[in-house]
Amino acid sequence: MYRILSFDGGGIRGLVTLAILKRLEAQVPTLIQKADVLAGTSTGGIIALGLAAGKSVDDMLSLYLDNGKDIFDDSWWDNIRDIGGVTGADYDQKNLAKILKRVFADMQLKDLQKRVLIPSFDLDNEATDPSKRTWNPKFFHNFPGDDSDGDELVVEVALDTSAAPTFFPSHDGFIDGGVVANNPSMAAVAQTQDRRNTDLPPKLEEIHLLSIGTGINLSFIKGRELDWGLAQWAKPLVNLLLDASMGIADFQCRHILKGTYQRIAPVFPHDTNIKMDEWKRSQELIDFGNAAALRDSWSDEDVVNWLKQTGW
């Protein structure tokens, strides 16, 4: 069997992912140890990289709880400079970079204990041929082969995947992987099949994939005919695109992997909406992750049994 753990993006809501992981690991202690691939986007990318570097779930929980305020530090001077977010990102990545540097030092992707797949988006490939210069998705990974990104620094990849538009500036020409695959499950499956890998690719029926979300805010736009322009669409568009990409990956995995795929994506109550930068609600996120049903039609015991039956 070939096992993949996949973690969605969602900013500080990564605490939901970690709370769920801790619940599952208490009943399936080999959950992370037996994973062959850890895939993650944005905050999920930071979680995946941390676990692949040998950090525990508790270590990653502490990273968020101890540093959320500094990561999302919106100073009064920054608000003046960017006119309250109108002309600039809400936050910079300087504090996040310092925190990640303390965690990963100069570690490269090839130094990690697990295979990883981390989506980002390159705004300019800087090709010298004008007919080939464009933007395109980038999937950082440490699978051995001609296409490997093993020499990339873990800190830089973590910053590349988490540079969420409007929240943070772009990093080294890259923006948040959520614009490509906020749920990186299907991208991870595809990476295992890349012929450039020197690893023997698993058969699809051998792949068992557990995908964990960061909590879903119930969202909708009222109205059947919206004659909107840029000003009206600008505000909801980022969240709309992130949610859409998650749904696409779930649809693909359900139909391709069938019973060897499970997704845990608990939905917040209808009167609860937690944004990606609301670090002051960290304990609320952990409490939600501890109490939420893992699947609508499954009990916790059902999910644990599925994990054990598939060799985790």
Side-chain angles (χ1 to χ4, degrees), residues 17-268:
T17 300
L18 291 166
I20 290 171
L21 268 178
K22 191 173 176 67
R23 281 171 65 182
L24 293 175
E25 197 177 35
Q27 299 182 74
V28 187
T30 56
L31 179 64
I32 296 167
Q33 174 191 335
K34 285 192 173 182
D36 296 285
V37 179
L38 299 176
T41 298
S42 194
T43 196
I46 294 173
I47 292 171
L49 291 166
L51 296 176
K55 306 298 179 183
S56 68
V57 174
D58 282 334
D59 289 336
M60 299 308 294
L61 278 166
S62 295
L63 185 151
Y64 283 76
L65 291 173
D66 295 344
N67 300 289
K69 180 179 179 180
D70 293 327
I71 293 170
F72 299 107
D73 179 22
D74 194 17
S75 68
W76 64 270
W77 169 244
D78 180 68
N79 274 331
I80 292 174
R81 187 179 59 185
D82 62 22
I83 317 177
V86 174
T87 62
D90 289 335
Y91 316 101
D92 64 42
Q93 281 191 315
K94 292 179 182 178
N95 287 341
L96 178 58
K98 291 177 183 177
I99 293 161
L100 293 173
K101 184 71 173 179
R102 291 200 299 266
V103 174
F104 298 111
D106 294 321
M107 184 178 288
Q108 297 175 305
L109 291 187
K110 64 185 178 185
D111 301 324
L112 297 173
Q113 301 170 15
K114 301 282 186 183
R115 299 280 183 259
V116 295
L117 185 285
I118 312 292
S120 187
F121 192 87
D122 187 357
L123 294 174
D124 182 0
N125 63 9
E126 298 181 342
T128 55
D129 182 348
S131 66
K132 296 181 179 179
R133 187 171 183 178
T134 186
W135 56 23
N136 51 260
K138 170 63 181 175
F139 296 93
F140 291 99
H141 68 86
N142 59 355
F143 285 70
D146 294 340
D147 188 50
S148 179
D149 300 297
D151 291 333
E152 295 287 341
L153 291 171
V154 173
V155 170
E156 297 302 308
V157 173
L159 292 171
D160 289 343
T161 190
S162 59
T166 74
F167 289 93
F168 295 107
S170 63
H171 179 262
D172 197 26
F174 290 91
I175 60 171
D176 196 290
V179 303
V180 179
N182 206 41
N183 169 0
S185 299
M186 195 63 209
V189 173
Q191 182 60 54
T192 69
Q193 306 300 303
D194 193 328
R195 294 183 179 180
R196 292 169 293 186
N197 299 342
T198 56
D199 284 348
L200 184 67
K203 298 177 181 178
L204 287 179
E205 58 268 25
E206 295 173 336
I207 294 175
H208 291 74
L209 195 159
L210 176 64
S211 172
I212 304 178
T214 60
I216 297 174
N217 288 314
L218 291 172
S219 303
F220 61 91
I221 297 175
K222 189 176 180 180
R224 292 290 182 177
E225 297 181 9
L226 301 175
D227 187 15
W228 283 6
L230 181 61
Q232 294 99 330
W233 278 114
K235 186 175 181 180
L237 197 57
V238 172
N239 288 330
L240 187 154
L241 292 175
L242 295 179
D243 286 352
S245 73
M246 288 191 296
I248 291 170
D250 182 46
F251 174 84
Q252 292 167 329
C253 286
R254 279 191 290 109
H255 289 284
I256 292 175
L257 298 180
K258 300 180 174 64
T260 60
Y261 163 78
Q262 295 296 336
R263 177 157 170 81
I264 298 173
V267 179
F268 291 118

